[in-house]
Amino acid sequence: MNIAEWILVAILSVTLFIFLVVAIILMVKLFGLVDEAKKVAIKGQDIAESANGVVSNVRGLTSVGGTVEMFVDKYINPKLKETLKEKKEKKND
């Protein structure tokens, strides 16, 4: 081979070596990024589960609130109205 061919082979070899090293470094960084993305996804799932717990607690509170409201409307309000009516009748007498 000529000297020019050896120079070309040397330049291409060095260039290939540089790209290989850069590719290895980028792959290592990419694996680190994937690990961080997994951590973020897991944290997001934990937050979603906590939100589900809060929603179920609020749902329980609202269902109890609805039950209490129904109880008050059905039983307590009629009794109070009767009592008020009786007091009015006694005052009128």
Side-chain angles (χ1 to χ4, degrees):
M1 284 202 324
N2 293 353
I3 301 251
E5 292 172 343
W6 281 106
I7 292 173
L8 280 173
V9 169
I11 290 172
L12 288 174
S13 297
V14 170
T15 306
L16 180 64
F17 177 73
I18 291 171
F19 281 125
L20 184 64
V21 169
V22 169
I24 290 172
I25 291 171
L26 287 176
M27 288 299 289
V28 169
K29 294 289 185 181
L30 183 65
F31 287 142
L33 184 65
V34 168
D35 288 339
E36 289 296 320
K38 284 181 185 177
K39 288 178 186 177
V40 168
I42 290 171
K43 188 69 173 175
Q45 288 174 348
D46 290 342
I47 291 170
E49 288 174 5
S50 298
N52 284 338
V54 169
V55 167
S56 66
N57 286 340
V58 169
R59 186 182 316 134
L61 289 175
T62 57
S63 68
V64 168
T67 305
V68 168
E69 184 180 358
M70 182 194 67
F71 178 75
V72 166
D73 287 341
K74 266 192 167 177
Y75 299 107
I76 296 178
N77 281 342
K79 298 266 186 196
L80 286 175
K81 286 180 183 177
E82 279 181 30
T83 308
L84 289 174
K85 221 183 223 183
E86 288 173 3
K87 283 184 180 179
K88 263 189 180 178
E89 289 175 3
K90 285 183 182 179
K91 279 187 181 179
N92 289 336
D93 288 338

